[in-house]
């Protein structure tokens, strides 16, 4: 889906840090181990709904005594309405890219 979508893949942070930040940006944490974060995006032009999902995996290294979360590849899906061919409008893709860039910028600045 583009370079910005791949930017956050592989970033590792404390679970509470990821949870607090993503939830403050409108994402909902889906219960499970490890958690998955979903953001619903509504296209007000067409009425269609989409979901941006950021999966996580548990991550532990020898230098980290606690388990951290590693962000996975974000995925954008159509939830309802309109076309069934998987087409996602450009303005929805752009909005998603901006959201991912915001996440990357914040998380990267925290550890720089």
């Amino acid at each position: 889906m583009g370079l910005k979508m791949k930017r956050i893949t592989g970033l590792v942070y404390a679970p509470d840090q990821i949870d607090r930040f993503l939830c403050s940006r409108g994402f909902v944490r889906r219960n499970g181990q490890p958690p998955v974060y979903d953001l619903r995006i509504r296209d007000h032009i067409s009425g269609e709904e989409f979901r941006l999902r950021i999966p996580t995996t548990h991550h532990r290294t020898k230098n980290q005594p606690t388990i951290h979360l590693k962000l996975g590849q974000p995925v954008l899906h159509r939830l309802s309405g309109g076309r069934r061919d998987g087409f996602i409008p450009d303005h929805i893709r752009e909005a998603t890219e901006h959201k991912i860039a915001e996440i990357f910028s914040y998380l990267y600045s925290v550890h720089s």
Side-chain angles (χ1 to χ4, degrees):
M1 166 129 200
L3 294 176
K4 291 178 186 164
M5 290 292 277
K6 294 179 182 177
R7 273 184 171 171
I8 67 169
T9 303
L11 297 178
V12 177
Y13 296 93
D16 61 330
Q17 186 178 25
I18 296 264
D19 193 67
R20 188 173 46 251
F21 178 71
L22 290 179
C23 290
S24 75
R25 296 303 186 270
F27 283 84
V28 174
R29 180 175 40 87
R30 300 292 174 205
N31 290 332
Q33 290 299 321
V36 172
Y37 293 90
D38 289 342
L39 177 68
R40 291 190 106 157
I41 301 167
R42 183 167 179 81
D43 181 359
H44 294 285
I45 296 170
S46 67
E48 295 175 313
E49 288 190 316
F50 301 87
R51 177 184 63 214
L52 173 59
R53 173 167 280 180
I54 301 177
T56 65
T57 56
H58 288 130
H59 183 79
R60 180 182 279 176
T61 66
K62 294 176 186 177
N63 300 337
Q64 295 172 330
T66 60
I67 294 176
H68 280 60
L69 291 179
K70 183 177 187 178
L71 298 176
Q73 174 72 34
V75 179
L76 181 61
H77 290 286
R78 174 184 305 281
L79 289 179
S80 67
R83 301 167 63 148
R84 301 281 178 220
D85 61 3
F87 174 77
I88 297 173
D90 289 339
H91 60 278
I92 297 297
R93 288 183 185 271
E94 275 187 44
T96 303
E97 291 281 347
H98 287 291
K99 183 60 82 173
I100 295 298
E102 174 189 359
I103 293 167
F104 174 78
S105 178
Y106 173 80
L107 293 175
Y108 187 76
S109 71
V110 168
H111 283 281
S112 292

